[in-house]
Amino acid sequence: MVDGDGTNFRFSTKIQNTIMSQTVVLAYSGGLDTSVAVRWLTDRGWRVMAFMADVGQGEPRKEAVARAKVAGAVEVVVRDVREEFARDYIVPSLKANAVYEGKYLLATALSRPLIAKHLVDVAHRKGAGAVAHGCTGKGNDQVRFEVTARILDPTLKIIAPVREWEFRSREEECHYAARHGIRVEVGKKSPYSLDHNLWGLSVEAGPLEDPWREPPLDSYRWITPPHKAPAKGATVTIEFRRGVPVALNSRRLGLVPLVQQLNRLGAAHGVGRSDLIESRLVGIKSREVYEAPAAQVLSEAHAELERLVLDRELLHYKQGVALKYAELVYDGLWWTPLKTALDAFVATTQRRVSGWVRLKLLKGRCQVVGRRSPYGLYHKGLATYGKADQFDRQAAEGFIKLWGLPYEGLRKEQFKVRSGKFKATSNFELRT
Ligand code: ARG
């Protein structure tokens, strides 16, 4: 019937195009918000494809897939991206020593550009005209998802149901879910909002909204509270090759199992928790608690190895780069030229970052106790106070003279010190 009939053929292509432009790929987590979003979008005429990325959150996948189908998803696409997450996101961030506001190792922030990249890719493969996410309208994640999607494909429509929909409370959402046969165990639901992946767990809301209140015990989702951790502690040795962790206690491991094992070990010893007031990109301060055992241990170890192998100028300059790098990650600017350029800089600094770091994990503390590298710049002959000292003390004298020379000159000029005479004064400040 269609064969040979040009009109009909064009007509079917048009229908096909319409269907595709009516298809949206939703970043789906399996929780209440994204499950409700599937239904909500379906109700508005969208064909919804749910996309789930396994970033190591460790939640039961089967139930989530089933829930998406019940909610109305025409298809559920699941991708295990843990390897890619570790190699292309965690490692570059570790090499850069990226830490946001001194405490946040960026687990959630790092996963977003990866998930968004796959979201766009699924949209392309399925010919969808839109992508969607389940982030609220006051967090950083909406920015990260949408900025990434816009950078990677500015022609895609972006929908943020949670920002748009009519539900005023969690109860209203649950009511809507129940009406549509979507089962989410609300009874068992904790008061916290959680986001979990291989690199860490972010905990917020509920009792944590009072910044003066100590995080209650039930906010420990993963890590053993330090006072319950074994008194004996544990020692762990990490080997790095060019900035990448490659072995744990002399056992060679791939990145994913290495991070997983270190997570288990660190968590058992109460290591890796931080509690901070954080400056969100969208202008508000929020209180967040993070649990990131492996991230904490690895970043302490990596930074320590750099202290040993990088010269002072490079080390200090790189510390400035680390701050900028962390900001870019936090701000959703992963896929940008500056981030690429900083990666190139960081890569050249990692050529010497090979060696071993030994750490002690004890009741919430993670302490470096030893470091060693074939590229180490520590020379005992120069550092020792013992007999073997080779340091040229005479050279120090001239060095100090020149080092202080500009300021000596300034003082003489400002206080009119002539011919060695100096009137004693208690005003020590030098004018600029
Ligand atoms: N504040 C963190 C960030 O912006 C984590 C966000 C997700 N946190 C959560 N508890 N759901 O990266």
Side-chain angles (χ1 to χ4, degrees), residues 38-46 176 180:
V38 172
R39 186 71 245 166
W40 188 87
L41 286 163
T42 307
D43 283 353
R44 273 147 194 81
W46 290 96
Y176 177 87
H180 291 93

Side-chain angles (χ1 to χ4, degrees), residues 80-95 114 117-118 198-199 243-245 254-256 259 325 334 339 343:
D80 180 349
V81 295
R82 288 175 300 173
E83 210 52 62
E84 186 185 0
F85 184 39
R87 184 190 60 232
D88 298 341
Y89 297 78
I90 290 175
V91 164
S93 174
L94 178 66
K95 285 178 174 173
L114 167 67
K117 180 191 114 175
H118 280 273
L198 192 60
W199 201 231
V244 183
L255 277 169
V256 174
V259 172
Y325 199 98
W334 184 265
K339 208 288 263 151
D343 272 330

Side-chain angles (χ1 to χ4, degrees), residues 104 108-109 140-141 144 193-195 202-204 278 288 290 330:
Y104 173 33
T108 295
N140 299 309
D141 285 331
R144 297 169 185 148
S193 156
L194 307 170
D195 180 66
S202 309
V203 192
E204 69 175 332
E278 165 181 318
E288 192 104 35
Y290 295 104
Y330 191 85

Side-chain angles (χ1 to χ4, degrees), residues 309-361:
V309 302
L310 300 187
D311 66 273
R312 199 174 88 123
E313 284 298 319
L314 183 55
L315 184 70
H316 291 187
Y317 192 84
K318 191 171 176 292
Q319 285 168 353
V321 169
L323 289 178
K324 191 67 211 172
Y325 199 98
E327 262 174 37
L328 292 177
V329 174
Y330 191 85
D331 295 354
L333 299 178
W334 184 265
W335 298 100
T336 60
L338 179 55
K339 208 288 263 151
T340 307
L342 294 187
D343 272 330
F345 166 78
V346 170
T348 65
T349 66
Q350 298 301 291
R351 292 185 191 135
R352 310 169 55 80
V353 188
S354 299
W356 296 263
V357 180
R358 201 169 61 238
L359 307 102
K360 201 159 226 171
L361 315 182

